[in-house]
């Protein structure tokens, strides 16, 4: 079956083109998730960085989000 595209209007899904589906046809709709474009090497590096970050947080080596945001804002 071909992909059907729709958009939400007033809380309803509206198809962009007519279909030839029989009246009363039930469809299961799933939101498209294209994922990301990471290579396996990039994904591995990301997981390693996240693991290291989690270890540091458990060891009490962390910085409050407010501090990080304040520092970023001051860089303007």
């Amino acid at each position: 079956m071909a992909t059907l595209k729709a958009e939400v209007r007033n809380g309803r899904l509206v198809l962009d083109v007519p279909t030839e589906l029989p009246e009363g046809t039930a469809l299961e709709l799933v939101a498209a998730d294209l994922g990301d474009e990471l290579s396996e090497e990039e994904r591995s590096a990301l997981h390693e960085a996240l693991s290291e970050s989690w270890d540091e947080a458990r060891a009490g080596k962390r910085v409050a989000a407010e501090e990080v945001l304040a520092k970023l804002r001051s860089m303007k």
Side-chain angles (χ1 to χ4, degrees):
M1 170 176 244
T3 300
L4 302 174
K5 294 184 180 181
E7 63 182 48
V8 178
R9 291 190 197 146
N10 297 318
R12 303 269 183 184
L13 293 172
V14 179
L15 293 172
D16 60 349
V17 294
T19 71
E20 295 180 13
L21 296 170
E23 191 68 27
T25 299
L27 300 174
E28 184 175 328
L29 303 174
V30 178
D33 180 4
L34 302 178
D36 57 48
E37 297 178 5
L38 294 177
S39 68
E40 288 305 314
E41 183 178 318
E42 292 167 326
R43 186 174 313 286
S44 179
L46 171 62
H47 285 260
E48 179 64 28
L50 290 171
S51 180
E52 289 175 14
S53 179
W54 183 245
D55 290 343
E56 290 175 1
R58 284 192 301 225
K61 301 176 185 175
R62 54 185 172 242
V63 178
E66 293 80 14
E67 281 184 56
V68 174
L69 293 173
K71 185 173 182 178
L72 290 171
R73 288 182 183 116
S74 72
M75 298 172 75
K76 291 182 180 182

